[in-house]
Amino acid sequence: MTVTPSGEFVYVANNGSKNVSAFSLNSNGELTRVTNSPFTAGTKPAAVAVDPSSKFVYVANNGSNSVFAYTIDSTTGELTAVAGGAVATGTKPAAVTVDPSGRFVFIRNATPDDISCFSLNSSTGVLTALVPGPTQARKSPASLVVSSGSSAITYTPTYAYVADFSGGVPTLSVNAGSGSLEAITGSPFGSGSPRTVAVAPNRKFVYAANKGGTDNMIGEYMVDATTGALSSVGTIATGNSPYDVTVDPSSRFVYAVAISTNAVYAYKINESTGALTKISGSPYTVGLSSPDSLAVDPTGRFLTATTGALTLHSTYPAGGAAPWGISTDVTGKYVYMTSNDDTIYEYDVDNSSGNLTNASGSPTMIAAGASRGIVTDPSGQFLYITNSEQALGYSINASPGALTELSSSPYAAGGDPLGITLIGTIQ
């Protein structure tokens, strides 16, 4: 049930009768049925929302996986279906909300645990699905609310952390305007021979997979929020030759793969210190053969190692000699890949199928070394790689995603930099 912002009408989604009831709201709080109410909806309408201007009504239909849009007669409160009919949502939509600006509509989908996002035409009320598609939520999201405000949420990159196989974690500050990198005081930090490095989403901790020699440890560090400097918390044992490490979206767990042990190791993070404790049952070895990378999905419910089952979407697009690292831009429109050679390959993403095609002008050639670690800046402006000798920075052209090396690039980043990651602030 919802009340129009104008305070004149009330609308109720009737789950059992496939319709929406409409009432006028009297000054004494009494409701009077609107002429021709109820109005036809989809199967099992579960939620209803009105835009801030009191011009449009949106109904999420749980049984038909759709959202219906209606215009409101400002005098009578009667509803008229918007041209174009039902718009597809995810599976079992159960909540709907309109943002305070009246520009967007969001639908909470119960079964896939995601949120469908639409732009709202302020003249017609028509909804258009936003690219790249639904946004993952955590398990069983129950409701939606959108805050109001006059300032956009922005991400500002602040520090880059590099896994230097020759020893420690070089740390560089990021100039948010130009994208240039500069080593901070005290860099590099720690020891060992890290192959990859990961930052917790809460920006409090950094973890390094130390592979070289007899290391076989995960290095644990606490981040100084002011300077970006790292303080070693300690290390914890992992399997032979840890190749990759990642932190789950909630900043509660760390996972690492050990290529020679054929296992995934799982750890719980101490929320105060960042120290790790091995989770009961870890390591996990079922079905794994030489795993060398892993990722946690945005909901925090699933982890995929390189030997996990995947469905091939298309033929392989051309790439470099020995693919090493891969990253997408913040819009989900472009994919970038390093190949342990003198190239960075760029691909366009078909958001409806997931297929990749080589972008115009790809690959971008690098001056020296072998392209390895790669990370894109969440603000969408910059991309950074390591090339086994130093770090390189590039600006990303918003369209068509082409890369241009920054004038200040390259940057010193230890003796044998392999992996790289970023940290930043959200305002």
Side-chain angles (χ1 to χ4, degrees), residues 18 36 55 62-63 130 152 161 168 186 188 208 214 225-226 236 307 324 345 371 383 403:
K18 302 180 182 179
N36 296 320
K55 291 171 58 178
N62 187 268
L130 297 177
Y161 296 96
T214 58
T226 302
I236 190 168
T307 51
W324 182 287
Y345 274 79
S371 61
L383 177 143
L403 301 178

Side-chain angles (χ1 to χ4, degrees), residues 86-401:
V87 176
T89 64
T91 305
K92 295 189 179 301
V96 58
T97 191
V98 184
D99 92 291
S101 73
R103 298 170 56 206
F104 305 104
V105 170
F106 302 98
I107 306 286
R108 188 270 290 183
N109 302 308
T111 298
D113 300 328
D114 62 15
I115 300 168
S116 295
C117 310
F118 304 88
S119 61
L120 187 165
N121 185 307
S122 60
S123 298
T124 65
V126 170
L127 300 181
T128 302
L130 297 177
V131 173
T135 298
Q136 285 295 141
R138 294 192 65 81
K139 189 173 182 179
S140 301
S143 60
L144 281 171
V145 66
V146 181
S147 64
S148 60
S150 57
S151 299
I153 296 174
T154 58
Y155 173 91
T156 303
T158 52
Y159 300 102
Y161 296 96
V162 177
D164 180 8
F165 200 63
S166 66
V169 181
T171 302
L172 303 94
S173 62
V174 182
N175 184 307
S178 67
S180 64
L181 304 180
E182 183 178 359
I184 70 169
T185 301
S187 176
F189 300 95
S191 57
S193 299
R195 190 180 189 280
T196 57
V197 62
V199 178
N202 64 10
R203 306 183 299 280
K204 294 172 61 177
F205 310 114
V206 166
Y207 300 95
N210 295 316
K211 173 187 176 292
T214 58
D215 282 352
N216 297 328
M217 296 281 184
I218 301 299
E220 308 155 332
Y221 301 91
M222 182 176 289
V223 178
D224 185 307
T226 302
T227 66
L230 301 181
S231 298
S232 177
V233 175
T235 60
I236 190 168
T238 185
N240 293 332
S241 298
Y243 255 56
D244 199 10
V245 62
T246 192
V247 186
D248 88 304
S250 70
S251 299
R252 295 186 300 159
F253 306 106
V254 166
Y255 302 95
V257 285
I259 192 169
S260 297
T261 311
N262 296 329
V264 173
Y265 288 74
Y267 308 90
K268 181 178 175 59
I269 299 174
N270 181 303
E271 63 180 18
S272 298
T273 67
L276 302 180
T277 304
K278 191 167 72 170
I279 292 173
S280 177
S282 173
Y284 307 95
T285 58
V286 178
L288 296 176
S289 177
S290 301
D292 61 5
S293 62
L294 76 172
V296 179
D297 88 297
T299 70
R301 294 186 298 147
F302 305 108
L303 181 145
T304 301
T306 49
T307 51
L310 299 175
T311 300
L312 181 65
H313 273 281
S314 65
T315 56
Y316 298 103
W324 182 287
I326 193 166
S327 186
T328 61
D329 81 310
V330 69
T331 68
K333 296 168 62 178
Y334 309 111
V335 167
Y336 302 93
M337 184 176 73
T338 56
S339 299
N340 200 25
D341 58 14
D342 60 354
T343 64
I344 306 170
Y345 274 79
E346 300 105 41
Y347 304 94
D348 296 323
V349 181
D350 183 323
N351 289 117
S352 62
S353 67
N355 292 342
L356 303 180
T357 55
N358 284 93
S360 175
S362 177
T364 296
M365 309 302 294
I366 66 174
S371 61
R372 292 180 174 175
I374 184 171
V375 63
T376 49
D377 159 34
S379 73
Q381 299 182 80
F382 309 111
L383 177 143
Y384 300 95
I385 71 163
T386 57
N387 69 348
S388 74
E389 298 177 6
Q390 54 211 344
L392 290 82
Y394 298 83
S395 61
I396 300 175
N397 188 316
S399 179

